[in-house]
Amino acid sequence: MKKAALFDMDGTLVDNTPAHIRAFEIFCDRYGVRNWKERLSQGFGMGNDDIMRLILPEEVIASRGLQALADEKEAIYREIYAPEIRPVAGLRDLLLRLRALGIRNTVMMTGDSERTAAAIAKQVGVDRFFAEVLPEDKANFVQQAKAEGHTVVMIGDGINDSPALSAADIGIAINLSLIHI
């Protein structure tokens, strides 16, 4: 029997929530958005573009463009977070234990940039990674792996990973971000 483990990155493999929150706060402050937490609470499961549309004034989006705004937000995040990307302690040991249990296909999927995902994937030691994915991409990956005969365990933060968690044979929701909000 083929076995696969799929991990979300943020809130699961890395606890970078404080940096994300601070970067988002700085970004929103630049555009005069004060009630971003209330607005963001309506955005669970949304991709970055939809979150931008939800939070920012239409005139800002029209004048700057979604990609430029996303790049700006990413630059702020990197300034705060770039000095040291650290996976949650014990992940290498966890992957070794999963391999000992017969799980040979470990995959990390994240909405983060290719650069950030590559750095974390290298540190953690997953077999493959996918960057800049949406929640539905993770669910589709789970369904495809199951169609190929894999038994799939999905480990995610439970916020935007619920479709993939539900589609997996085993869904494990952990949420490191709750301790920071």
Side-chain angles (χ1 to χ4, degrees):
M1 174 185 295
K2 297 188 269 183
K3 300 175 186 174
L6 172 62
F7 294 87
D8 175 48
M9 189 181 85
D10 287 336
T12 304
L13 297 180
V14 293
D15 185 10
N16 57 356
T17 304
H20 266 302
I21 291 170
R22 182 67 186 128
F24 209 75
E25 185 175 54
I26 292 166
F27 175 76
C28 288
D29 193 50
R30 286 184 182 176
Y31 296 101
V33 177
R34 303 286 179 251
N35 61 342
W36 64 270
K37 284 185 181 179
E38 292 81 23
R39 291 182 184 185
L40 188 60
S41 70
Q42 301 166 26
F44 290 129
M46 290 183 172
N48 283 330
D49 287 355
D50 289 332
I51 288 173
M52 295 285 192
R53 287 185 192 99
L54 178 69
I55 291 177
L56 294 174
E58 288 180 29
E59 58 272 10
V60 170
I61 295 170
S63 69
R64 297 284 326 275
L66 286 171
Q67 187 59 54
L69 290 164
D71 290 346
E72 180 182 347
K73 183 173 69 76
E74 178 76 11
I76 296 168
Y77 172 65
R78 283 192 192 291
E79 250 177 63
I80 294 170
Y81 189 48
E84 188 67 34
I85 298 174
R86 289 202 172 118
V88 173
L91 283 175
R92 281 204 169 271
D93 290 339
L94 172 64
L95 288 174
L96 289 173
R97 288 182 189 150
L98 291 174
R99 287 188 178 102
L101 293 171
I103 296 175
R104 302 283 180 253
N105 187 13
T106 57
V107 179
M108 180 187 81
M109 298 185 89
T110 180
D112 274 309
S113 71
E114 180 81 16
R115 181 177 161 202
T116 301
I120 293 297
K122 183 177 180 182
Q123 289 181 49
V124 173
V126 293
D127 298 316
R128 294 187 298 160
F129 73 91
F130 299 91
E132 300 177 19
V133 298
L134 297 172
E136 57 266 23
D137 298 329
K138 295 175 188 179
N140 291 338
F141 182 89
V142 168
Q143 292 168 343
Q144 180 63 38
K146 287 174 67 174
E148 293 170 2
H150 290 274
T151 298
V152 179
V153 60
M154 166 65 188
I155 302 98
D157 64 9
I159 296 172
N160 62 348
D161 295 319
S162 57
L165 289 164
S166 297
D169 294 296
I170 300 169
I172 301 171
I174 59 175
N175 194 334
L176 302 173
S177 66
L178 292 177
I179 62 173
H180 300 290
I181 295 179

